[in-house]
Amino acid sequence: MDVAIIKYNAGNIMSVELALKRLGVNATITADPDFIRKADRVIFPGVGEASTTMAYLREHNLDRLITSLKQPVLGICLGLQLMCSHSEEGDVDCLGIFPENVKKFIPAPGQEYVTKVPHMGWNSISNLKSDLFDASLENQYVYFVHSYYAAAGDDTAATCNYITPFSAALQRDNFYATQFHPEKSGPIGARILENFINLKAR
């Protein structure tokens, strides 16, 4: 099986590659359009800032490539946010795969020291609705680091609650995305990555 990790100007790509290696999967980090189109699975990870990253994707025609893919695609963290319609981070239009707007967490007045931004650390996921998950993962804890979120909507595949309920995962057709980092989420994250690799063709 060929697994492509999209190479672009965002961090955290190597940790995803290492997590896959622990599962016995040798992924290829690449920006080659032909390889990405032919790959059996594509992963779109990232840690960075939305507007500068979208500018890079557009400059290198990766925006059109990603939205055209037909095989299972997994966005991680910034990858999820860029797969949405718009982000408040840099006030930028994104890929539009998921019809959600990405907003910044704003703590309630007086709660700034209780619910700090960014949301960083372990939190539970619930209301799982995607074949990315199995029933035993309900209410399990995964690792988050983010200041922006996609609200819960029709494509929400998992929910988390921090300041407000938000989409911990999204799915539409062959596009999957997690706001949390499965590659940093221990055995639970490894199972989610494995579930993605083992997805049946839709």
Side-chain angles (χ1 to χ4, degrees), residues 93-170:
D93 289 333
C94 299
L95 297 175
I97 294 167
F98 304 116
E100 303 294 343
N101 292 327
V102 174
K103 302 177 181 180
K104 188 169 185 177
F105 282 121
I106 300 177
Q111 296 295 306
E112 295 86 350
Y113 297 103
V114 179
T115 50
K116 295 182 180 180
V117 178
H119 173 210
M120 182 181 299
W122 297 84
N123 209 337
S124 61
I125 54 174
S126 59
N127 302 314
L128 309 181
K129 298 177 181 177
S130 169
D131 46 3
L132 195 61
F133 308 104
D134 52 72
S136 66
L137 295 173
E138 184 77 21
N139 296 316
Q140 294 288 346
Y141 280 75
V142 291
Y143 190 79
F144 293 87
V145 183
H146 61 122
S147 298
Y148 293 80
Y149 69 94
D154 291 342
D155 294 325
T156 298
T159 303
C160 183
N161 197 335
Y162 186 81
I163 299 178
T164 185
F166 67 90
S167 293
L170 293 164

Side-chain angles (χ1 to χ4, degrees), residues 1 24 42 52 59 105 109 167 170 200 202:
M1 175 181 286
V42 176
T52 55
E59 180 183 354
F105 282 121
S167 293
L170 293 164
K200 295 179 181 179
R202 298 184 65 80

